[in-house]
């Protein structure tokens, strides 16, 4: 119990928690950057079909850069968990839960590789692994977008975090809907390939910007 007249004894726990949250934000930014670089290297250097294919094709068995791709995806999954840990107390509980869910599905997506071409229905015949990988990737993306929406309306985070979340969600929602529609109507091709990459770049950029903001904002939890 704090002693009367000694306010410093009451702020130590909070200060320690703030330091821990900023450290988690810094670690999240590092994981997001490292993961993005690793996946980009695997996609660019790999023998994939370029913009007409899926990003996941860089991680198929037998690819010379499969390990780099998987490490990158796992680093991105870790970044999601760390962003959730860096959020201030009082944030709407849906946000960290969705980030954790996204991290789990991202890890599954990285661990379960698809077959050559990463085929998906309705235009291609998919294996069980293809369906698990594709489903996990879609679930991970959806979880992150819904986490953005939760943060956009949460009053316990700073204004910068809310604006980043709201703006990113406003861009991601129509893009994700367009990707889903194109996959059902036209299947794989340049349109889906380009749009998929735009969505992934947006999600990673949001994660990196949010993690950096949380790491640098010393007074976010106390200013609300």
């Amino acid at each position: 119990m704090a002693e009367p007249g000694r306010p410093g004894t009451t702020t130590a726990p909070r200060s320690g928690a703030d330091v821990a949250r900023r450290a988690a934000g810094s670690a999240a930014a590092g994981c997001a950057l490292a993961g993005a670089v690793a996946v980009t290297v695997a996609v660019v250097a790999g023998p994939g079909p370029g913009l007409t294919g899926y990003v996941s094709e860089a991680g198929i068995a037998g690819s010379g850069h499969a390990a780099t791709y998987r490490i990158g995806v796992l680093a991105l999954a870790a970044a999601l968990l760390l962003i959730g840990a860096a959020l201030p107390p009082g944030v709407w509980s849906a946000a960290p839960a969705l980030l954790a869910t996204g991290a789990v599905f991202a890890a599954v997506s990285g661990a379960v590789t698809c077959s050559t071409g990463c085929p998906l229905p309705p235009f291609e015949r998919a294996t069980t692994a293809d369906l698990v990988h594709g489903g996990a990737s879609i679930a991970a993306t959806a979880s992150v977008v819904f986490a953005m929406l939760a943060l956009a309306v949460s009053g316990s985070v700073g204004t910068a975090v809310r604006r980043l979340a709201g703006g990113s969600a406003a861009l991601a929602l129509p893009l994700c809907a367009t990707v889903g529609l194109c996959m059902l109507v036209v299947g794989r091709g340049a349109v889906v390939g380009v749009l998929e990459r735009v969505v992934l770049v947006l999600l990673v950029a949001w994660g990196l910007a949010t993690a950096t903001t949380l790491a640098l904002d010393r007074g976010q939890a106390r200013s609300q």
Side-chain angles (χ1 to χ4, degrees), residues 185-208:
V185 175
V186 300
R188 66 181 289 131
V191 174
V192 173
V194 171
L195 287 176
E196 181 202 29
R197 284 159 174 76
V198 172
V199 170
L200 293 178
V201 168
L202 175 60
L203 296 188
V204 172
W206 168 81
L208 182 57

Side-chain angles (χ1 to χ4, degrees), residues 43-215:
V43 171
V44 173
L51 296 178
T52 61
Y54 298 115
V55 170
S56 298
E57 292 184 52
I60 62 175
S63 170
H65 298 84
T68 302
Y69 173 82
R70 293 172 193 166
I71 291 171
V73 173
L74 292 176
L76 293 173
L80 293 177
L81 283 176
L82 289 165
I83 290 173
L87 294 174
V91 70
W92 188 19
S93 60
L98 285 166
L99 288 170
T101 300
V104 171
F105 280 119
V108 172
S109 173
V112 179
T113 59
C114 55
S115 58
T116 302
C118 292
L120 290 173
F123 297 103
E124 299 169 300
R125 191 169 187 175
T127 65
T128 300
D130 293 328
L131 295 176
V132 171
H133 173 85
S137 300
I138 293 170
T141 301
S143 297
V144 175
V145 174
F146 286 130
M148 292 176 182
L149 291 173
L151 288 174
V153 298
S154 180
S156 296
V157 296
T159 302
V161 173
R162 288 199 302 271
R163 288 178 176 173
L164 280 170
S168 298
L171 293 173
L173 282 170
L175 284 172
C176 290
T178 303
V179 171
L181 181 62
C182 288
M183 289 177 68
L184 292 174
V185 175
V186 300
R188 66 181 289 131
V191 174
V192 173
V194 171
L195 287 176
E196 181 202 29
R197 284 159 174 76
V198 172
V199 170
L200 293 178
V201 168
L202 175 60
L203 296 188
V204 172
W206 168 81
L208 182 57
T210 299
T212 302
T213 300
L214 292 169

